[in-house]
Amino acid sequence: LLMGQNTSQQKMEQLNFMIGDWVGISTTYENGEIATQVPAFQKIQYAVDGSIITIDLHSETLQLHTVIYYDEKEQTYYYNPYYKKGTAKYKAEYVDGKLVVTKNESTRFIFNKTSENGFQEYGERLENGEWSRYFEDNFKNIQ
């Protein structure tokens, strides 16, 4: 049992780059052009003895509570967003220092550290065989 907890904890520790109080700008794109830009704030923290990460995102266009955890049996991360009108559950993986969440075959979200105190989340859609960004949130840590 102890080994299992250690594996899960190690997997969760890989996501340490996400933890913080982040403030920044959320940008959406349409046809490669900026469609909207709004201020955004998110708090990302460990909970339940480090076995989950919670994300609370606030902007004019989106309020979101997300729980991320690592499933030992399936050896995969799960990304569970809760919106005003419901919830979802997506598989995710840690690749090259980034958390990549697969919403479906043609949509994914990517979380990565951009600098010493920078953090980014962006969404991509597969169109004509190429991934293109449809949103991008750039944050700085305010802790």
Side-chain angles (χ1 to χ4, degrees):
L1 187 68
L2 204 58
M3 291 240 333
Q5 287 175 330
N6 288 343
T7 303
S8 186
Q9 284 172 339
Q10 285 169 353
K11 292 292 186 182
M12 293 308 290
E13 280 170 16
Q14 288 183 317
L15 305 182
N16 200 37
F17 69 92
M18 297 173 64
I19 303 300
D21 290 342
W22 304 98
V23 65
I25 301 288
S26 180
T27 304
T28 59
Y29 300 98
E30 284 172 25
N31 305 319
E33 302 287 316
I34 292 175
T36 63
Q37 283 193 309
V38 296
F41 171 81
Q42 66 180 355
K43 184 176 190 70
I44 305 179
Q45 60 193 351
Y46 286 110
V48 194
D49 283 340
S51 61
I52 66 169
I53 288 175
T54 60
I55 303 175
D56 288 292
L57 172 73
H58 300 277
S59 76
E60 288 171 30
T61 50
L62 185 63
Q63 287 84 48
L64 188 60
H65 176 77
T66 302
V67 175
I68 298 170
Y69 71 93
Y70 184 79
D71 186 303
E72 294 271 344
K73 284 189 191 125
E74 298 185 31
Q75 297 188 343
T76 190
Y77 291 95
Y78 278 100
Y79 176 91
N80 302 275
Y82 295 84
Y83 307 90
K84 284 182 180 175
K85 295 182 176 161
T87 184
K89 181 177 180 177
Y90 308 128
K91 285 187 175 186
E93 56 187 334
Y94 181 74
V95 186
D96 298 329
K98 301 174 182 181
L99 182 68
V100 180
V101 178
T102 303
K103 183 175 178 182
N104 53 45
E105 285 176 17
S106 59
T107 310
R108 65 187 182 190
F109 313 127
I110 296 161
F111 296 82
N112 66 302
K113 191 170 177 65
T114 54
S115 65
E116 192 55 44
N117 62 348
F119 176 71
Q120 182 183 63
E121 175 187 351
Y122 58 94
E124 293 182 325
R125 287 199 184 110
L126 189 60
E127 293 162 355
N128 306 320
E130 287 191 29
W131 290 100
S132 62
R133 286 191 190 194
Y134 69 97
F135 83 84
E136 178 179 291
D137 297 347
N138 288 294
F139 295 102
K140 288 252 182 288
N141 200 330
I142 54 169
Q143 279 182 322

